[in-house]
Amino acid sequence: MYVGALTLDILLGDVRSLKQKRSVMRPLVAELQRRYPSIAVAETGHLDLHRRAEVGVAVVSASAGNCKEVMDACERMVAFRPEIELLSARQRLYNDED
């Protein structure tokens, strides 16, 4: 069994309030969940800042290759959104021996 953890650090575009941030982040999280139903995804950091966000994605799979493939796809989907800028992406892969 393999567990993949992906952390995405995001800079939001023209957002001036937490309410506007929520209107950008909710559809992003929902789209990730809809497109990849086998993942768990949540906004995990920078909750009090209106132009920054951190999104955490978790993947559980029988193979390391599948975990990496799903994390790469999630990262690409977020990176290609025009209203946000992906500042960094960190991937970690754990197996049952860790």
Side-chain angles (χ1 to χ4, degrees):
M1 176 179 74
Y2 293 89
V3 177
L6 172 65
T7 305
L8 303 167
D9 191 11
I10 296 170
L11 179 65
L12 302 171
D14 189 26
V15 173
R16 292 188 175 91
S17 69
L18 292 175
K19 187 175 182 178
Q20 285 180 322
K21 176 184 179 179
R22 202 169 43 246
S23 72
V24 173
M25 294 306 298
R26 278 190 179 171
L28 175 66
V29 169
E31 176 70 13
L32 281 166
Q33 287 175 331
R34 185 190 64 75
R35 195 174 286 187
Y36 308 102
S38 62
I39 67 170
V41 60
E43 188 177 352
T44 57
H46 307 300
L47 300 175
D48 56 343
L49 301 176
H50 65 275
R51 290 209 58 222
R52 293 285 300 274
E54 182 182 87
V55 174
V57 176
V59 182
V60 177
S61 179
S63 71
N66 187 51
C67 264
K68 179 108 173 79
E69 185 179 306
V70 171
M71 287 189 295
D72 288 342
C74 290
E75 183 180 338
R76 277 192 307 274
M77 193 201 100
V78 171
F80 289 133
R81 301 272 304 213
E83 70 273 14
I84 63 174
E85 180 182 343
L86 182 60
L87 298 175
S88 70
R90 246 185 357 254
Q91 292 186 8
R92 294 188 186 116
L93 190 63
Y94 304 97
N95 62 19
D96 54 359
E97 297 171 3
D98 288 344

